[in-house]
Amino acid sequence: MTSIDALAARLRAEIGPRRVLTDRQELRTYECDGLAHYKVIPALVALPGTADQVAAVVRACAETGTPFVARGSGTGLSGGALPHADGVLIVTSQLREIVEVRPEDERAVVQPGVINLQVTKAAAPHGYYYAPDPSSQQICSIGGNVAENSGGAHCLKYGFTTNHVTGLEVVTPDGERIRLGGPAPDAPGYDLLGAFVGSEGTLGVATEVTVKLTRLPETVRTLLAGFRSTDQAGAATSAIIAAGVVPAAVEMMDVLAIEAAEAAVGCGYPAGAGAVLIVELDGPAAEVEAQFAEVSALCEANGAFETRIAADDEERALIWRGRKSAFAAVGRISPDYIVQDGVIPRTALPSVLRRIGEVAAEHGIRVANVFHAGDGNLHPLVLFDDAVPGESARAETVSGAILDLCIEHGGSITGEHGVGVDKARYLPRMFSDDDLDTMQLVRCAFDPDGIANPGKVFPTPRLCGERPARRRGAHPLQESGVAEVF
């Protein structure tokens, strides 16, 4: 009996035989997350139904030295939930109870498998909603949102997941259940809650999440503006923010993204537009009306040739439909694509977008741009055909060059999709060796044995007993075949 066979037998006894998968065909279901470019079949999949069962699985992994990876709905776009070939994939999708909704405290307590949009549906009868709204909010889970610190179209005004989580129950990498934070804000001591949110599964597994609820706004107004170029749309975005207006959302799509959205969902965006802006304002009615007039005037002053205002919720949903479908929609115009995620200062939008177009043309690759213009969070979609020899490699080159552009302009290699396995090799371009060693010391404090989502985030994981220093020669994990040095 192999070590995995023995572990499977133990887990079947502890959490039930139907909650442990070892058949290769069943395991293939979990070989990748939303980034299908990377695929690994796990040795074993566990489907716990309670927090106690999650702890039992993690404890078994800790006692046997078996690596584990936590997975929610599998919608991540950085390979953060990519399985380990010799490890356990812990799928939390069956922990999907909304434990309680407390409008009097503006809080909800949910399990990690709860779908993002379900929180809003549960809170809406009380006059509240959950603000973070990734494009995948109809299928992505709260646990995954916590792991990746997900944002969404409305993060410009309302912030990311970390701004809306006040407490967590966590299973640490040794199998212990602990609580970080709680319903009250700003717990004293070190901000371990802040460290955990966005840690991409490297510090443990969340089994319960306490989130903030936001009051439904009195008024929501949505505007769609068509421009001849992304330069004009970018200038309009900067002008809106410079005027002191903070919209709930400012989203931009370029001509290729518009083409894809029209082919997929027929959203009816302005004909001939080289770019469109979706600007949404919410809040007290008098404030929204005053700001809306100003936003409309600024769009027109910066070259908008057509503006439309949603008359009701149905028209508002139609405007958003094209933006929300953008990632999947590019499948209508390209057989393969890479979803990139970087951040730049808003004022750099025109120059960076022009340079992205130049780099793409130099390599014979098309790039569709769709992104959160209000906070400079880019989502370039690098289009290619894997059946054409060399095109995949050229697409990867363009994708990497986009991240380099973000760093050159004082930005980041990720805004909300995380580092995962896809961007680990780019992290040293943002941080020094000392920076990376300090970060890994935090990781080692939670996971001294290095079994929680190994091989993710950091390009050269080191043993937790190592002294931080510039390394020479092969890393011990590299020699053992566990890690790869990029």
Side-chain angles (χ1 to χ4, degrees):
M1 179 181 290
T2 67
S3 57
I4 286 294
D5 289 337
L7 181 59
R10 171 178 171 174
L11 292 180
R12 287 189 177 104
E14 292 190 14
I15 69 172
R18 299 183 65 179
R19 296 188 178 277
V20 180
L21 307 180
T22 54
D23 178 80
R24 187 170 179 81
Q25 291 306 310
E26 292 181 317
L27 296 176
R28 286 183 65 88
T29 303
Y30 302 94
E31 66 184 0
C32 67
D33 58 10
L35 185 65
H37 187 65
Y38 301 95
K39 295 181 179 180
V40 174
I41 298 175
L44 184 154
V45 169
L47 303 166
T50 67
D52 283 338
Q53 290 181 349
V54 173
V57 175
V58 173
R59 193 159 46 246
C61 290
E63 291 174 4
T64 59
T66 305
F68 68 86
V69 177
R71 172 191 170 111
S73 295
T75 58
L77 293 169
S78 63
L82 187 73
H84 192 289
D86 299 316
V88 175
L89 186 69
I90 304 174
V91 181
T92 61
S93 59
Q94 295 193 27
L95 281 80
R96 48 178 178 259
E97 180 186 356
I98 296 178
V99 180
E100 59 179 328
V101 176
R102 299 205 304 267
E104 65 276 11
D105 291 327
E106 297 186 326
R107 298 288 186 271
V109 181
V110 304
Q111 291 186 325
V114 170
I115 301 303
N116 175 291
L117 193 58
Q118 290 176 341
V119 182
T120 288
K121 289 180 177 179
H126 305 281
Y128 287 86
Y129 74 109
Y130 181 60
D133 61 337
S135 293
S136 57
Q137 68 178 148
Q138 297 186 42
I139 51 174
C140 66
S141 67
I142 293 296
N145 293 171
V146 168
E148 301 295 340
N149 189 24
S150 302
H154 293 81
C155 60
L156 171 62
K157 182 175 182 178
Y158 293 102
F160 291 75
T161 297
T162 190
N163 304 113
H164 297 270
V165 172
T166 65
L168 292 171
E169 180 189 77
V170 171
V171 175
T172 63
D174 62 358
E176 182 184 0
R177 289 173 65 181
I178 64 170
R179 287 196 174 272
L180 305 175
D186 299 325
Y190 292 119
D191 186 13
L192 300 181
L193 177 68
F196 193 93
V197 177
S199 61
E200 303 191 33
T202 62
L203 305 184
V205 184
T207 52
E208 188 178 271
V209 186
T210 301
V211 300
K212 293 180 183 177
L213 299 177
T214 301
R215 192 76 184 176
L216 286 166
E218 180 183 355
T219 300
V220 179
R221 298 292 302 277
T222 305
L223 175 145
L224 174 69
F227 297 84
R228 298 299 180 190
S229 69
T230 54
D231 278 13
Q232 291 178 331
T237 300
S238 294
I240 290 168
I241 303 300
V245 178
V246 181
V250 182
E251 298 291 295
M252 189 191 299
M253 297 171 65
D254 73 1
V255 65
L256 264 181
I258 295 168
E259 177 189 341
E262 292 289 357
V265 299
C267 45
Y269 288 164
V276 295
L277 277 186
I278 299 172
V279 184
E280 189 158 279
L281 298 168
D282 65 11
E287 177 183 294
V288 168
E289 289 305 317
Q291 291 184 340
F292 204 78
E294 188 173 9
V295 167
S296 298
L298 289 169
C299 285
E300 291 173 3
N302 284 277
F305 67 87
E306 181 179 340
T307 58
R308 299 178 192 168
I309 299 171
D312 51 35
D313 287 345
E314 185 176 345
E315 289 189 9
R316 177 174 172 246
L318 183 60
I319 289 175
W320 277 107
R321 190 178 178 195
R323 169 60 185 91
K324 292 283 188 177
S325 69
F327 287 3
V330 294
R332 297 294 187 102
I333 63 173
S334 178
D336 302 286
Y337 61 94
I338 298 170
V339 180
Q340 201 43 278
D341 167 49
V343 182
I344 57 173
R346 270 188 306 269
T347 52
L349 278 172
S351 60
V352 170
L353 291 175
R354 280 197 300 272
R355 184 57 188 145
I356 288 174
E358 292 167 357
V359 171
E362 289 167 7
H363 291 84
I365 294 294
R366 296 183 299 163
V367 176
N369 289 290
V370 50
F371 52 92
H372 311 312
D375 58 3
N377 187 185
L378 304 179
H379 292 313
L381 302 163
V382 184
L383 313 181
F384 67 100
D385 185 348
D386 202 28
V388 177
E391 198 159 297
S392 175
R394 295 203 307 275
E396 288 282 1
T397 299
V398 170
S399 181
I402 290 171
L403 295 182
D404 286 337
L405 277 171
C406 292
I407 296 170
E408 288 168 15
H409 285 79
S412 168
I413 63 171
T414 180
E416 56 186 350
H417 294 175
V419 176
V421 68
D422 186 47
K423 297 182 182 179
R425 63 188 181 276
Y426 296 104
L427 214 59
R429 302 184 191 183
M430 279 191 68
F431 299 105
S432 69
D433 287 347
D434 289 340
D435 293 333
L436 294 174
D437 276 328
T438 300
M439 292 181 202
Q440 291 195 83
L441 285 173
V442 175
R443 182 175 185 169
C444 290
F446 280 81
D447 181 24
D449 295 325
I451 61 172
N453 211 9
K456 309 294 173 55
V457 183
F458 298 102
T460 53
R462 61 178 178 79
L463 298 177
C464 291
E466 272 188 272
R467 182 179 178 181
R470 188 176 295 275
R471 291 179 285 275
R472 295 180 173 82
H475 189 283
L477 292 179
Q478 183 188 8
E479 291 179 331
S480 67
V482 173
E484 180 180 358
V485 176
F486 293 94

